[in-house]
Amino acid sequence: MPSPSSKLQSLEEAAARVPDGTRLAFGGFAVYQKPMGFVRELVRQGRRNLTVVGSAQSYDVDLLAAGGCLSCVETSYVGLEKHGLARHYRRAVERGEVKVVDYPEMVSWDRFRASQEGLAFWPVPFLGGSDIVRYNPAIKPFACPMTGHPMHAVPAADVDVVVIHALAADERGNVVFPARRLLPQSNDVLMGRSCDTVIVTVEKLVSNAFIRKHSRLVELPSYKVSSVVELPYGAHPTPALGAYHADEKHYGEYVAASESAEATAAYLKKFVHLDGGNDAYLEAVGAAQLARLKDMDSLL
Protein backbone atom coordinates (compact mmCIF):
# COMPACT_ATOMS: atom_id res chain seq x y z
CA MET A 1 0.00 0.00 0.00
CA PRO A 2 1.42 3.44 -0.91
CA SER A 3 2.78 5.54 1.95
CA PRO A 4 1.17 8.90 2.83
CA SER A 5 4.07 10.62 1.03
CA SER A 6 3.60 8.55 -2.12
CA LYS A 7 3.28 10.32 -5.47
CA LEU A 8 2.57 7.10 -7.32
CA GLN A 9 -0.26 7.34 -9.85
CA SER A 10 -1.64 5.29 -12.69
CA LEU A 11 -0.90 6.41 -16.23
CA GLU A 12 -4.51 7.47 -16.65
CA GLU A 13 -4.45 9.56 -13.46
CA ALA A 14 -1.18 11.26 -14.36
CA ALA A 15 -2.34 12.10 -17.89
CA ALA A 16 -5.48 13.66 -16.42
CA ARG A 17 -3.17 16.31 -14.94
CA VAL A 18 -2.70 17.60 -18.51
CA PRO A 19 -6.01 19.21 -19.48
CA ASP A 20 -6.90 20.61 -22.89
CA GLY A 21 -4.89 23.73 -23.70
CA THR A 22 -1.88 22.78 -21.55
CA ARG A 23 1.53 24.17 -22.37
CA LEU A 24 3.89 21.25 -21.83
CA ALA A 25 7.34 19.86 -22.51
CA PHE A 26 8.54 16.31 -23.12
CA GLY A 27 11.96 15.15 -22.00
CA GLY A 28 14.47 13.19 -24.02
CA PHE A 29 15.90 14.63 -27.21
CA ALA A 30 14.93 14.11 -30.87
CA VAL A 31 14.37 10.34 -31.25
CA TYR A 32 15.90 9.40 -27.88
CA GLN A 33 14.14 8.50 -24.61
CA LYS A 34 10.84 10.25 -25.26
CA PRO A 35 7.96 9.58 -22.80
CA MET A 36 5.98 7.85 -25.53
CA GLY A 37 3.75 5.83 -23.22
CA PHE A 38 2.48 9.10 -21.76
CA VAL A 39 2.05 10.60 -25.23
CA ARG A 40 -0.04 7.60 -26.30
CA GLU A 41 -2.23 8.07 -23.23
CA LEU A 42 -2.84 11.74 -24.12
CA VAL A 43 -3.98 10.66 -27.58
CA ARG A 44 -6.10 7.90 -26.05
CA GLN A 45 -7.80 10.40 -23.73
CA GLY A 46 -8.52 12.72 -26.68
CA ARG A 47 -6.57 15.72 -25.46
CA ARG A 48 -6.88 18.89 -27.59
CA ASN A 49 -5.19 22.27 -28.16
CA LEU A 50 -1.86 21.35 -26.59
CA THR A 51 1.23 23.53 -26.98
CA VAL A 52 4.51 21.59 -26.95
CA VAL A 53 7.68 23.48 -26.05
CA GLY A 54 11.01 21.73 -26.53
CA SER A 55 14.48 21.58 -28.00
CA ALA A 56 14.12 18.81 -30.64
CA GLN A 57 11.02 16.71 -31.23
CA SER A 58 10.15 13.56 -33.13
CA TYR A 59 7.63 10.77 -32.58
CA ASP A 60 6.17 12.58 -29.55
CA VAL A 61 4.92 15.59 -31.51
CA ASP A 62 4.18 13.59 -34.65
CA LEU A 63 1.92 11.15 -32.80
CA LEU A 64 0.10 14.04 -31.10
CA ALA A 65 -0.42 15.55 -34.56
CA ALA A 66 -1.81 12.23 -35.81
CA GLY A 67 -4.25 12.25 -32.90
CA GLY A 68 -5.37 15.84 -33.50
CA CYS A 69 -4.07 16.96 -30.11
CA LEU A 70 -1.89 19.95 -31.06
CA SER A 71 -2.41 23.67 -31.55
CA CYS A 72 1.18 24.98 -31.36
CA VAL A 73 4.80 23.73 -31.30
CA GLU A 74 7.78 25.83 -30.16
CA THR A 75 11.05 24.05 -30.90
CA SER A 76 14.03 23.80 -33.25
CA TYR A 77 13.22 20.53 -35.06
CA VAL A 78 10.45 18.02 -35.60
CA GLY A 79 11.51 14.99 -37.62
CA LEU A 80 12.33 11.29 -37.53
CA GLU A 81 16.06 11.61 -38.32
CA LYS A 82 17.04 8.78 -40.71
CA HIS A 83 13.35 7.90 -41.21
CA GLY A 84 12.71 11.31 -42.74
CA LEU A 85 9.90 13.76 -42.23
CA ALA A 86 7.41 13.76 -39.38
CA ARG A 87 4.58 13.40 -41.86
CA HIS A 88 1.59 13.81 -39.55
CA TYR A 89 3.08 16.98 -38.12
CA ARG A 90 3.99 18.36 -41.54
CA ARG A 91 0.49 17.81 -42.89
CA ALA A 92 -1.10 19.43 -39.82
CA VAL A 93 1.13 22.49 -40.25
CA GLU A 94 0.41 22.71 -43.97
CA ARG A 95 -3.33 22.59 -43.26
CA GLY A 96 -2.97 25.44 -40.78
CA GLU A 97 -4.03 23.29 -37.83
CA VAL A 98 -0.77 23.71 -35.92
CA LYS A 99 1.17 26.93 -35.38
CA VAL A 100 4.98 26.68 -35.55
CA VAL A 101 7.29 28.95 -33.54
CA ASP A 102 10.96 28.44 -34.47
CA TYR A 103 13.91 28.70 -32.09
CA PRO A 104 17.51 27.59 -32.67
CA GLU A 105 18.39 24.39 -30.85
CA MET A 106 20.75 25.95 -28.30
CA VAL A 107 18.34 28.79 -27.64
CA SER A 108 15.59 26.23 -27.04
CA TRP A 109 17.69 24.87 -24.16
CA ASP A 110 18.29 28.41 -22.91
CA ARG A 111 14.55 28.94 -22.54
CA PHE A 112 14.42 26.15 -19.95
CA ARG A 113 17.49 27.58 -18.23
CA ALA A 114 15.58 30.83 -17.84
CA SER A 115 12.61 29.01 -16.31
CA GLN A 116 14.93 27.05 -14.00
CA GLU A 117 16.39 30.32 -12.70
CA GLY A 118 13.01 32.03 -12.40
CA LEU A 119 13.83 34.54 -15.14
CA ALA A 120 11.42 35.96 -17.70
CA PHE A 121 14.03 35.70 -20.47
CA TRP A 122 17.53 34.48 -21.30
CA PRO A 123 20.08 36.86 -22.89
CA VAL A 124 21.50 35.56 -26.18
CA PRO A 125 24.46 37.25 -27.91
CA PHE A 126 24.55 35.36 -31.23
CA LEU A 127 21.23 35.90 -33.06
CA GLY A 128 22.21 39.02 -34.99
CA GLY A 129 21.59 38.57 -38.72
CA SER A 130 19.32 35.54 -38.23
CA ASP A 131 15.83 35.47 -39.75
CA ILE A 132 14.70 33.75 -36.54
CA VAL A 133 14.41 37.20 -34.94
CA ARG A 134 12.57 38.51 -38.00
CA TYR A 135 9.83 35.88 -37.88
CA ASN A 136 9.60 35.39 -34.12
CA PRO A 137 8.33 38.61 -32.49
CA ALA A 138 8.64 37.05 -29.02
CA ILE A 139 12.43 37.54 -29.25
CA LYS A 140 13.28 41.12 -28.27
CA PRO A 141 16.48 43.04 -29.11
CA PHE A 142 18.25 45.01 -26.41
CA ALA A 143 21.65 46.54 -25.70
CA CYS A 144 23.83 44.86 -23.10
CA PRO A 145 23.88 47.25 -20.11
CA MET A 146 27.54 46.40 -19.45
CA THR A 147 29.07 46.56 -22.94
CA GLY A 148 26.43 48.17 -25.14
CA HIS A 149 26.67 45.22 -27.56
CA PRO A 150 23.44 44.13 -29.26
CA MET A 151 21.74 41.11 -27.71
CA HIS A 152 18.38 39.40 -27.81
CA ALA A 153 16.04 38.47 -24.98
CA VAL A 154 14.52 35.02 -25.56
CA PRO A 155 11.38 34.29 -23.52
CA ALA A 156 11.50 31.58 -20.87
CA ALA A 157 9.90 28.24 -21.72
CA ASP A 158 7.23 28.88 -19.07
CA VAL A 159 5.50 25.50 -19.39
CA ASP A 160 2.66 24.22 -17.20
CA VAL A 161 3.79 20.58 -17.16
CA VAL A 162 7.02 18.67 -17.88
CA VAL A 163 6.90 14.94 -18.64
CA ILE A 164 10.05 12.79 -18.67
CA HIS A 165 10.83 9.08 -18.81
CA ALA A 166 13.57 7.81 -16.49
CA LEU A 167 15.07 4.50 -15.45
CA ALA A 168 13.91 4.48 -11.84
CA ALA A 169 12.37 6.40 -8.97
CA ASP A 170 10.87 5.65 -5.58
CA GLU A 171 7.21 6.27 -4.85
CA ARG A 172 8.06 9.60 -3.20
CA GLY A 173 9.40 10.97 -6.50
CA ASN A 174 13.19 10.76 -6.06
CA VAL A 175 14.36 10.10 -9.62
CA VAL A 176 17.53 8.17 -10.47
CA PHE A 177 19.71 9.12 -13.45
CA PRO A 178 22.73 7.17 -14.77
CA ALA A 179 26.10 8.43 -13.52
CA ARG A 180 27.34 8.26 -17.11
CA ARG A 181 24.64 9.81 -19.22
CA LEU A 182 24.02 11.39 -22.60
CA LEU A 183 22.38 14.61 -23.74
CA PRO A 184 18.77 13.36 -23.48
CA GLN A 185 19.19 12.63 -19.77
CA SER A 186 20.81 16.03 -19.18
CA ASN A 187 17.84 17.59 -20.94
CA ASP A 188 15.52 15.68 -18.58
CA VAL A 189 17.28 17.12 -15.53
CA LEU A 190 17.12 20.67 -16.90
CA MET A 191 13.44 20.40 -17.84
CA GLY A 192 12.57 18.76 -14.55
CA ARG A 193 14.11 21.67 -12.65
CA SER A 194 12.32 24.28 -14.76
CA CYS A 195 8.69 23.56 -13.89
CA ASP A 196 6.44 23.22 -10.85
CA THR A 197 4.48 20.25 -12.22
CA VAL A 198 6.74 17.37 -13.24
CA ILE A 199 5.38 13.95 -14.20
CA VAL A 200 7.90 11.11 -14.36
CA THR A 201 7.27 7.72 -15.94
CA VAL A 202 9.85 5.11 -14.96
CA GLU A 203 11.01 1.70 -16.06
CA LYS A 204 11.04 0.50 -12.46
CA LEU A 205 10.01 1.59 -8.99
CA VAL A 206 12.74 1.20 -6.37
CA SER A 207 12.66 1.37 -2.61
CA ASN A 208 13.54 4.46 -0.61
CA ALA A 209 16.37 2.38 0.88
CA PHE A 210 17.79 2.06 -2.65
CA ILE A 211 17.52 5.83 -3.06
CA ARG A 212 19.37 6.46 0.21
CA LYS A 213 22.12 4.05 -0.84
CA HIS A 214 22.50 5.68 -4.27
CA SER A 215 21.62 9.28 -3.37
CA ARG A 216 24.40 10.61 -5.62
CA LEU A 217 22.33 9.50 -8.62
CA VAL A 218 19.23 11.49 -7.61
CA GLU A 219 19.18 14.71 -9.64
CA LEU A 220 15.45 15.28 -9.39
CA PRO A 221 14.47 15.01 -5.71
CA SER A 222 10.98 14.32 -4.50
CA TYR A 223 10.04 17.94 -3.89
CA LYS A 224 10.44 18.66 -7.64
CA VAL A 225 8.23 15.77 -8.79
CA SER A 226 4.42 15.79 -8.83
CA SER A 227 3.59 12.27 -10.10
CA VAL A 228 5.42 8.98 -10.59
CA VAL A 229 4.11 6.30 -12.95
CA GLU A 230 5.69 2.86 -13.24
CA LEU A 231 5.71 2.25 -17.00
CA PRO A 232 7.97 -0.50 -18.38
CA TYR A 233 9.12 0.31 -21.92
CA GLY A 234 7.58 3.74 -21.44
CA ALA A 235 9.89 5.29 -24.04
CA HIS A 236 9.24 2.65 -26.73
CA PRO A 237 9.77 2.78 -29.67
CA THR A 238 12.52 5.29 -28.78
CA PRO A 239 15.47 3.94 -26.76
CA ALA A 240 16.09 4.34 -23.03
CA LEU A 241 19.74 4.56 -21.98
CA GLY A 242 20.74 1.49 -19.98
CA ALA A 243 17.45 -0.32 -20.61
CA TYR A 244 16.72 -0.96 -24.31
CA HIS A 245 17.60 0.10 -27.82
CA ALA A 246 15.41 1.82 -30.42
CA ASP A 247 12.86 -0.43 -32.09
CA GLU A 248 13.73 -0.04 -35.75
CA LYS A 249 11.08 -2.56 -36.75
CA HIS A 250 8.37 -0.51 -35.07
CA TYR A 251 9.80 2.71 -36.53
CA GLY A 252 9.29 1.21 -39.97
CA GLU A 253 5.72 0.22 -39.18
CA TYR A 254 4.97 3.70 -37.85
CA VAL A 255 6.45 5.47 -40.88
CA ALA A 256 4.61 3.19 -43.31
CA ALA A 257 1.35 3.94 -41.48
CA SER A 258 1.81 7.67 -42.04
CA GLU A 259 1.40 7.30 -45.79
CA SER A 260 -2.39 7.47 -45.75
CA ALA A 261 -5.29 8.36 -43.47
CA GLU A 262 -6.51 4.76 -43.57
CA ALA A 263 -3.14 3.36 -42.53
CA THR A 264 -2.84 5.94 -39.77
CA ALA A 265 -6.27 5.01 -38.40
CA ALA A 266 -5.28 1.34 -38.45
CA TYR A 267 -2.04 2.10 -36.58
CA LEU A 268 -3.86 4.13 -33.91
CA LYS A 269 -6.42 1.35 -33.48
CA LYS A 270 -3.72 -1.30 -33.12
CA PHE A 271 -1.27 0.55 -30.85
CA VAL A 272 -2.99 3.54 -29.21
CA HIS A 273 -6.75 3.22 -28.76
CA LEU A 274 -6.51 0.09 -26.66
CA ASP A 275 -8.33 -1.10 -23.57
CA GLY A 276 -5.61 -1.88 -21.05
CA GLY A 277 -3.33 1.07 -21.69
CA ASN A 278 0.43 0.47 -21.73
CA ASP A 279 0.16 -3.26 -20.95
CA ALA A 280 -2.06 -3.73 -23.98
CA TYR A 281 0.40 -1.72 -26.08
CA LEU A 282 3.30 -3.95 -25.05
CA GLU A 283 1.23 -7.03 -25.92
CA ALA A 284 0.54 -5.53 -29.35
CA VAL A 285 4.26 -4.94 -29.94
CA GLY A 286 5.06 -8.49 -28.78
CA ALA A 287 7.20 -9.96 -26.01
CA ALA A 288 9.72 -11.45 -28.42
CA GLN A 289 10.29 -8.11 -30.14
CA LEU A 290 10.69 -6.28 -26.83
CA ALA A 291 13.16 -8.89 -25.59
CA ARG A 292 15.36 -8.28 -28.63
CA LEU A 293 15.71 -4.63 -27.64
CA LYS A 294 17.24 -5.23 -24.21
CA ASP A 295 20.47 -3.29 -23.69
CA MET A 296 22.81 -6.02 -22.47
CA ASP A 297 25.86 -3.80 -22.98
CA SER A 298 24.90 -1.92 -19.81
CA LEU A 299 25.48 -5.13 -17.83
CA LEU A 300 29.10 -5.55 -18.99
Side-chain angles (χ1 to χ4, degrees):
M1 184 162 180
S3 71
S5 58
S6 175
K7 296 178 180 177
L8 189 62
Q9 290 190 308
S10 69
L11 179 59
E12 294 80 4
E13 290 170 331
R17 303 187 71 150
V18 182
D20 290 353
T22 296
R23 183 177 173 85
L24 77 163
F26 297 116
F29 184 83
V31 297
Y32 306 97
Q33 202 154 322
K34 288 291 182 178
M36 293 303 301
F38 194 91
V39 172
R40 286 187 288 271
E41 182 61 26
L42 290 178
V43 177
R44 193 155 43 239
Q45 292 190 12
R47 209 61 81 245
R48 292 291 181 267
N49 299 318
L50 299 176
T51 293
V52 175
V53 183
S55 51
Q57 320 305 130
S58 61
Y59 295 93
D60 51 349
V61 161
D62 197 53
L63 186 59
L64 289 174
C69 305
L70 292 175
S71 65
C72 182
V73 177
E74 302 176 11
T75 191
S76 69
Y77 168 83
V78 181
L80 309 183
E81 294 197 348
K82 71 178 183 180
H83 291 279
L85 300 173
R87 291 169 178 83
H88 299 300
Y89 168 76
R90 181 185 178 107
R91 285 194 288 264
V93 172
E94 290 174 342
R95 292 193 297 261
E97 298 168 358
V98 176
K99 178 183 177 182
V100 178
V101 184
D102 285 320
Y103 288 92
E105 182 180 309
M106 194 68 246
V107 172
S108 296
W109 282 64
D110 289 338
R111 302 184 70 201
F112 289 95
R113 293 189 177 95
S115 291
Q116 175 184 252
E117 301 301 327
L119 301 175
F121 72 93
W122 193 265
V124 177
F126 52 78
L127 287 180
S130 170
D131 273 352
I132 289 287
V133 300
R134 177 182 175 189
Y135 292 107
N136 187 341
I139 301 175
K140 307 295 185 183
F142 72 102
C144 173
M146 305 300 290
T147 66
H149 293 164
M151 300 186 73
H152 287 88
V154 177
D158 193 26
V159 294
D160 303 315
V161 179
V162 163
V163 184
I164 68 171
H165 184 74
L167 289 183
D170 69 359
E171 66 177 2
R172 300 178 186 177
N174 295 296
V175 186
V176 172
F177 290 85
R180 297 177 64 185
R181 60 175 183 256
L182 301 176
L183 183 146
Q185 292 74 43
S186 296
N187 194 34
D188 289 347
V189 173
L190 173 61
M191 285 186 169
R193 294 174 177 175
S194 73
C195 184
D196 291 335
T197 301
V198 179
I199 298 171
V200 183
T201 62
V202 295
E203 289 295 316
K204 183 176 178 60
L205 281 176
V206 296
S207 68
N208 189 252
F210 178 94
I211 294 295
R212 291 195 299 271
K213 183 178 180 180
H214 301 283
S215 58
R216 71 189 186 282
L217 301 179
V218 178
E219 301 229 33
L220 281 182
S222 59
Y223 71 87
K224 287 297 299 178
V225 174
S226 305
S227 299
V228 176
V229 180
E230 187 174 28
L231 205 66
Y233 288 94
H236 185 275
T238 68
L241 181 65
Y244 44 86
H245 299 290
D247 190 337
E248 296 291 340
K249 178 177 179 289
H250 193 90
Y251 282 171
E253 189 168 354
Y254 178 88
V255 171
S258 68
E259 295 296 335
S260 70
E262 294 76 16
T264 297
Y267 177 91
L268 293 176
K269 180 179 180 180
K270 180 178 180 181
F271 291 111
V272 178
H273 296 301
L274 299 169
D275 293 333
N278 193 62
D279 288 348
Y281 171 79
L282 298 183
E283 290 178 7
V285 173
Q289 178 62 15
L290 294 172
R292 294 186 186 99
L293 305 176
K294 283 290 187 180
D295 184 6
M296 301 305 292
D297 293 344
S298 64
L299 304 179
L300 303 179

